[in-house]
Each structure stands twice: as structure tokens, then as C-alpha cells.
Amino acid sequence: MQPSRSVSSRLLAKGIATLSFCALIPSLPAFAQQFTPGNLVVSRSVYESKANTVKVGTILPPNCATTLGACSASTGAPYNGTYPQVFNDVLYDPAFGITSKIYLDQLAVEGTLINTLEIPSTGNKKLVTSFSSKSEIGLNLSLDNKFITFMGYVAAPNTVDVSNSNTPGAIDPTNPDGQVPTYRAVARINKAGDLTITETDAYSGNNGRVAILNNYGGDEFYYTAGNAGDGANPQPYGVVAGAGAQIITPVTGSEVPQAPGLPTPVASFSIAQLGVAADKIGKDDNFRGMTVFNNVLYYTKGSGSNGVNTVYFVDTVGGACPNGIGLPKPGAPLPTTSIPYSTTTLATTGLPSNMCILAGFPSTPAKTAKTPSFPFGLFFANENTLYVADEGNGTFSGTTPYAAAAAQTTAGLQKWVFNPQTQLWSLAYTLNSGLKLGIPYTVANYPTGNNPATNLPWAPATDGIRNIAGAVGVEGTVAVIYAITSTVSGGGDQGADPNKLVAFADLISNTSPAVGALMPFMEIKDAGFAEVLRGVTFTPGTVPAKLKLFHQ
């Protein structure tokens, strides 16, 4: 029997995973700052649930008749803007989404809400996300731990299908989404809550997902991850150049006069490196998670039918992976410039390949993988221990729809260990005890019974985890990791399900699945009606490497 939420919170507050931060920069008075070092930040979005946001019979995607793509159907949207029924419209419009406000909740490490920062969604400095996009507004600390970064859209709330719109500088006429072209943007927040926004033409036809600020060495760069393209093959050069992994120079001035120009890709991978036939150009670079460790930039891919769902790193010196698989070379620097490309050949040849699959991780293309993985967030506890979030397979069907989620063995938090002798990473075990995979839960005011659009239960259940944030105690023996859950349900779009923030602790030296985690997953925060949780990190000024764990 798992402890109750209140008991779990006390365990987290007093026991093995209680956090106390030391050797941090001095704190300012509470009234002078939005965030205090030593706490958590969780990104949250809320859908306003206005019936008139979508009118029954509206032809979707917006303005599709004016594009070279096709409208989904001539009968129009079957559901109005009321939550959660509105997201049944995705069954009619595969690109369906509605922009919504972004909130950053500051939490104590045991989950107590301290305050909330609402990101502006109107005026000259605004940013929104797309409800119900599952992979957006992931959070990261900058490399100096002083800023939080994330990505969004320069648009107003309650706008339909922005997440698949073109960007202004990378128009794809075959994209069926005729929504007004919209910039994607990177947001930076300091501990006082001050916001700066840098626009980009990258991720046309799709979404930017996460960003990390590299602000060491005098220059500043954002590394970003995302996906691009919603049209036909071949894709225009601006779409291909704006896919996957980008490097973006921050802008500190007003948002209004920005003119981003052509995208600046920092890295790319093609499955042709593995000796197999090439995929749709640009779609191998459908990245979701990202981290920097020991001066190496890592990415994950966990969705889409192209490429390989696995863990990658950027090879900045060349020769690390002659066959597409390898290990970072010692002493290699982080990237500081875009990889060169020609706009005249990009749509047919793609970007130069300068990424490698991390040796030991899956290398079978998604089209043929018999045991697919769905990696998302990454956390290195040390140079030989890597935790990888797996969001699960999303399967929900049949007469026992929750069974597929409950039966998963690799969904949750995978622990990978590096063997210096074999020079390979291997999966030690997957942590999912207490995660309650495939067990439905209730949400206040949420519909009960079956969704008539799918004839499956409305009630969500956890399917795995997505974005994560971790820290290691100063003694170097225990890792504490916070994670955002993924879900399965009979809702039209499972990304609209209210999900959870969970936490757990693991003994880093353990490699035996029989021993497992020191502490099973504990629920820390629940999303409410018309809410979703998306990203988690520590507050600006926190130094996770100086985390102290008390064992009581």
C-alpha cells in the first residue's frame, strides 16, 4: 500500500528526499523578488473554456481553403469551445489546438504553493502556449543557474491552431493550417520575475518545445528543441532549416521591432548515417527534450514515424560517430554557431549531419522498431548515470483500455549506466513504483463515464513521465528527481487531460532492478479542471549541485 499524499508530503519534507540548499547566493527580501533560491518552478497552462472560442460547424484548420493543403472536412467542427469536449475536435482536425495563458508556479520542494507568475498574453510583450500540446513549455535553468527559459507563441489567447501555423519567414503553401503566420519565441525569466522574449522563424508548421541559455564565456546563446513542418514533402528550405535543434542569439529589447530572419540550426541527424534509407527531410530532427552536461549538448526524440526515438548528442569536433552512433569526445566545446547550409539544396539534401546516437541507446528507426521507446526529459546524476523520462506509448483502446498503460515496463524513469570497459550505456532498470500506471483517477468537475466521441472513459490515468528536473546531494549518493506525468484517456486529445507533478529519490550507485528506488514516486501537485502541467525546474539562483539531503 502506498502512503497517502499527506504522508508522502511529510516524508518528502522530513525524510530522504527533503531538500535544503546550501552555499547559494544571498537572498533578497521577499518583496524584492519573484523567486527564492531552493524552490521549484512548474509551468502550468489554463484553458478558459469559452463556448464561443470554437463554433459548431467552423471549417478547420483556419483558412484551410486558401492553402494548397486540404480542409479536414466540409461539415465543420462538431464541438464548441467548452472544455474538455472541445478537444474532441482533434478527431476532425489533426492539428487542432487553442492558445492559452502560461503560469509559473513557485513551489516549496514538498509541493506547497508559494506564488504564481502569470506570463503576459497581451501588449507588446506577450507569449502563450498551445492547449493541449503535450511537449510545450518545458523549463530549464541557464548554465549559470540564474535564469529560467522556455518557449511559446507570440499570439493572443483563445486562437485556434496556432501551433501548426507557418512562421512569417518560413511559409509553406502546402500547410493546410491557414492561421495568420506566427513567430515562436524564447522567454527568459530572472529571479525578480523580469521577462525578455526573443522571437524566431524556426519551427514553422509545428512547435518549439524547450530552450537552454548558454551564458558562459562572454557570448550568449539559446539552444532550443522542437519540430517543424505540417505540409507536403519536400518541405521548403525555411521549414527544414527551422527544424529540431536551433541556436538563437538572445534579444534584450522590445518584442515589437524584432525581425528574426532565417532560422539558425545548430545540429541535425539523418538516419542515413545508420546505413538505412533516408526519411522525410527535416523530420528526423523532431526533438523533445534537451540538456547540457559536461560541456555536451544532448537531445531526445520520442515521437513521430520518422527518425529514431532515442538519445543524441551534438558532435562539435567531428569523427565521434562515423556510423551515426558514438560517444562525446573529451574536451569538445559546446556549439557557438549555426551549421552552414545552402538554401538552394536544403529541401532535397537536408542539413549536414553532426549528431550521434549515444552508444548503447536504441538505434532502430521508428518505422521498424519492435519495442519502441518514448524518451523525453534527461538528467545526468554523474558522468556514468543518466536518468531518461519515458512518456509511455499512449495506447488506450478496446474493452480494457487502461491495461496497455498498466502493463508497460519501460514507461516512467529509466536509469541508464555507462560501462567504461565496453564504452556503452545500458538500461539498469525503470523506476515506476508508485507512479500508478494505468490506474484512472478523478478530477473535480471533470466528466464521468464515456466520451461519446470515442466511446472510451473520460477518466485519465498516468502513462509515463515527460519533463524532469533533478539534483544530487552534496554527498553524491542520492538523486532527487521531479517529473511531469503523461496520461492516457478516452478524451479526444490526451494532452488535454489534467496531469500531475511527482517526485522520487534513487540511490545513484544502485544498478539492481530488485532494489529499485529509495522512495517510490509521490504525488506533489495535481492539475485541476482545464489545467495542465508541462515543465519543472529549480528557481533561479538555485545550485542543484550543492543540494544537501537529510536522511532521517
Side-chain angles (χ1 to χ4, degrees):
M1 180 176 178
Q2 300 298 333
S4 68
R5 183 175 177 182
S6 60
V7 172
S8 297
S9 296
R10 290 197 298 272
L11 286 172
L12 192 63
K14 293 186 63 178
I16 190 170
T18 299
L19 311 185
S20 175
F21 291 83
C22 57
L24 298 171
I25 62 173
S27 297
L28 295 173
F31 64 84
Q33 60 181 2
Q34 181 73 34
F35 299 108
T36 301
N39 293 324
L40 296 172
V41 180
V42 173
S43 58
R44 174 173 55 93
S45 189
V46 180
Y47 175 62
E48 293 186 29
S49 191
K50 295 181 178 179
N52 63 359
T53 298
V54 179
K55 295 181 179 180
V56 173
T58 299
I59 301 298
L60 295 173
N63 303 317
C64 53
T66 66
T67 73
L68 298 180
C71 293
S72 299
S74 59
T75 55
Y79 294 88
N80 68 18
T82 303
Y83 177 86
Q85 291 82 0
V86 62
F87 294 103
N88 286 331
D89 284 332
V90 75
L91 303 173
Y92 155 83
D93 170 13
F96 186 74
I98 301 173
T99 52
S100 53
K101 293 182 179 181
I102 301 169
Y103 299 88
L104 300 184
D105 293 331
Q106 180 176 203
L107 309 176
V109 292
E110 78 279 3
T112 303
L113 178 64
I114 298 171
N115 57 15
T116 296
L117 175 66
E118 178 180 339
I119 302 303
S121 57
T122 59
N124 293 336
K125 185 180 288 186
K126 62 185 178 186
L127 205 66
V128 294
T129 189
S130 178
F131 207 105
S132 56
S133 182
K134 302 180 289 292
S135 58
E136 295 181 359
I137 54 175
L139 302 178
N140 284 291
L141 278 176
S142 59
L143 297 192
D144 69 354
N145 302 307
K146 293 181 179 179
F147 300 93
I148 292 173
T149 50
F150 58 93
M151 293 199 72
Y153 305 91
V154 183
N158 299 314
T159 308
V160 175
D161 282 6
V162 166
S163 61
N164 283 85
S165 65
N166 293 316
T167 56
I171 302 297
D172 181 357
T174 69
N175 182 356
D177 185 351
Q179 186 55 268
V180 174
T182 304
Y183 286 123
R184 282 58 171 160
V186 180
R188 179 199 302 200
I189 300 282
N190 63 14
K191 68 178 183 178
D194 299 324
L195 169 69
T196 61
I197 292 176
T198 299
E199 297 174 349
T200 177
D201 264 314
Y203 309 119
S204 183
N206 224 291
N207 58 343
R209 292 163 173 162
V210 289
I212 295 176
L213 173 63
N214 177 359
N215 52 351
Y216 278 142
D219 294 325
E220 292 188 338
F221 311 97
Y222 291 125
Y223 303 127
T224 66
N227 190 20
D230 191 37
N233 193 24
Q235 301 180 113
Y237 68 80
V239 174
V240 177
Q246 299 284 312
I247 185 169
I248 300 170
T249 301
V251 173
T252 56
S254 171
E255 187 174 354
V256 174
Q258 293 183 32
L262 288 175
T264 48
V266 71
S268 180
F269 182 86
S270 169
I271 62 169
Q273 293 176 255
L274 303 173
V276 298
D279 263 333
K280 182 178 180 180
I281 291 174
K283 283 299 183 179
D284 289 359
D285 295 342
N286 178 6
F287 301 127
R288 313 185 82 179
M290 179 174 56
T291 195
V292 173
F293 180 75
N294 275 357
N295 232 34
V296 180
L297 180 57
Y298 294 87
Y299 286 87
T300 60
K301 180 184 178 299
S303 66
S305 59
N306 298 292
V308 181
N309 290 350
T310 194
V311 176
Y312 301 84
F313 68 93
V314 179
D315 176 18
T316 57
V317 295
C321 49
N323 298 308
I325 301 171
L327 297 170
K329 287 189 174 182
L334 281 166
T336 57
T337 60
S338 171
I339 53 176
Y341 63 89
S342 168
T343 59
T344 59
T345 60
L346 195 58
T348 54
T349 62
L351 291 164
S353 295
N354 65 337
M355 299 182 77
C356 311
I357 293 174
L358 193 57
F361 278 83
S363 58
T364 304
K367 284 185 172 68
T368 57
K370 294 182 180 179
T371 54
S373 59
F374 308 94
F376 213 108
L378 297 165
F379 170 63
F380 281 89
N382 56 41
E383 62 184 7
N384 294 319
T385 309
L386 171 58
Y387 293 94
V388 180
D390 189 296
E391 71 166 329
N393 57 29
T395 301
F396 196 77
S397 61
T399 56
T400 55
Y402 297 99
Q408 295 178 101
T409 58
T410 57
L413 197 69
Q414 299 176 357
K415 184 176 186 176
W416 290 76
V417 177
F418 181 66
N419 186 324
Q421 282 71 47
T422 63
Q423 293 287 286
L424 294 172
W425 289 86
S426 62
L427 178 62
Y429 50 82
T430 300
L431 297 161
N432 52 33
S433 176
L435 197 53
K436 302 177 184 177
L437 295 176
I439 299 176
Y441 53 85
T442 59
V443 178
N445 301 316
Y446 210 66
T448 58
N450 283 3
N451 177 2
T454 63
N455 200 31
L456 292 168
W458 278 108
T462 298
D463 190 45
I465 59 176
R466 296 188 185 114
N467 287 305
I468 59 177
V472 174
V474 291
E475 68 276 26
T477 59
V478 175
V480 173
I481 296 179
Y482 292 87
I484 302 294
T485 64
S486 61
T487 63
V488 288
S489 76
D493 187 338
Q494 295 171 347
D497 296 336
N499 56 341
K500 301 174 182 289
L501 169 69
V502 297
F504 86 107
D506 186 49
L507 186 64
I508 295 172
S509 62
N510 178 43
T511 59
S512 171
V515 176
L518 285 170
M519 181 187 78
F521 283 95
M522 297 180 181
E523 294 180 11
I524 302 299
K525 178 181 175 64
D526 299 334
F529 181 82
E531 290 185 339
V532 288
L533 309 180
R534 290 296 182 240
V536 58
T537 191
F538 296 104
T539 43
T542 301
V543 183
K546 296 183 181 296
L547 181 63
K548 182 178 180 182
L549 304 176
F550 292 99
H551 304 274
Q552 298 178 358

